[in-house]
Amino acid sequence: IVFSITDPSPTAFNVTTPSPLVICSGDNVTITLNNSESGVTYEILRGLASLPTPITFPGTGAGPFVMTFPSAQFSNGDAINVLASNGFCTSVLMNGTVNLTVNPLPSIAGVSVAPICEGITSTSLTYTSTSGSPNQYSIDFDLTAEGQGFVDITNAALTASPIALNIPGAAAPGVYSGVLSVRNSLTGCSIISG
């Protein structure tokens, strides 16, 4: 008889991503192996099972081997493993599991700013509700507003509605814009609200 031995089973490398891996909802997930083999396909597993839409990466023959992918198929508390396969040979589970913690994005709703008369130096920003436990807010004023003396606000404490906003006394009459974002300082998650 004649036979050949080809496509050896992959080497079991180590997952070096710390566990738990903490991300914000919608962020990408990055899993790292200490090495990889050329010609081997590395598949991301959820709870030791293939995903509905498989996520695979071709090995490079080098390490660290970094695999970054969307988190859409994962939920808070999922366990992530990596399976290596090479042709018809037995697939090998990489050493290590990463438990995923997905923090919700904070949000703020019903935001409005009261109009004021020229020369008035404060106004109120009101909102109706929040979710995801935001405790900070930022406002990035546009160049027109900054040209009139408006100063950006960065990670100020988000107090109960209404929030007092300082208005430059010399600002000319007009409509001024800024981008509002809210942040949960405990999770680091933030979102632009408008």
Side-chain angles (χ1 to χ4, degrees):
I1 65 170
V2 175
F3 65 93
S4 61
I5 298 175
T6 59
D7 298 332
S9 292
T11 302
F13 294 118
N14 297 320
V15 175
T16 59
T17 303
S19 183
L21 175 62
V22 180
I23 66 169
C24 298
S25 179
D27 285 355
N28 285 336
V29 175
T30 298
I31 300 294
T32 303
L33 297 175
N34 66 318
N35 208 339
S36 69
E37 292 177 284
S38 183
V40 172
T41 299
Y42 294 88
E43 180 182 4
I44 303 299
L45 305 179
R46 180 182 62 209
L48 298 177
S50 293
L51 295 162
T53 302
I55 298 173
T56 60
F57 296 87
T60 62
F65 182 59
V66 179
M67 299 170 285
T68 300
F69 48 91
S71 62
Q73 297 187 75
F74 296 89
S75 300
N76 185 50
D78 281 346
I80 299 174
N81 295 93
V82 180
L83 185 69
S85 60
N86 186 12
F88 295 104
C89 293
T90 303
S91 296
V92 174
L93 194 63
M94 299 295 99
N95 299 316
T97 298
V98 175
N99 294 309
L100 187 63
T101 299
V102 181
N103 289 312
L105 293 177
S107 67
I108 189 168
V111 176
S112 65
V113 178
I116 59 170
C117 295
E118 183 179 8
I120 302 296
T121 58
S122 68
T123 189
S124 295
L125 180 149
T126 60
Y127 61 92
T128 57
S129 65
T130 62
S131 65
S133 304
N135 59 357
Q136 295 178 332
Y137 76 98
S138 299
I139 300 176
D140 181 12
F141 289 104
D142 66 13
L143 291 177
T144 301
E146 289 175 352
Q148 290 293 314
F150 286 81
V151 177
D152 290 345
I153 299 167
T154 304
N155 295 334
L158 180 63
T159 58
S161 182
I163 298 170
L165 296 180
N166 294 325
I167 306 298
V175 176
Y176 299 101
S177 298
V179 176
L180 172 67
S181 60
V182 291
R183 179 176 185 266
N184 179 323
S185 64
L186 300 177
T187 64
C189 298
S190 64
I191 191 166
I192 294 174
S193 294

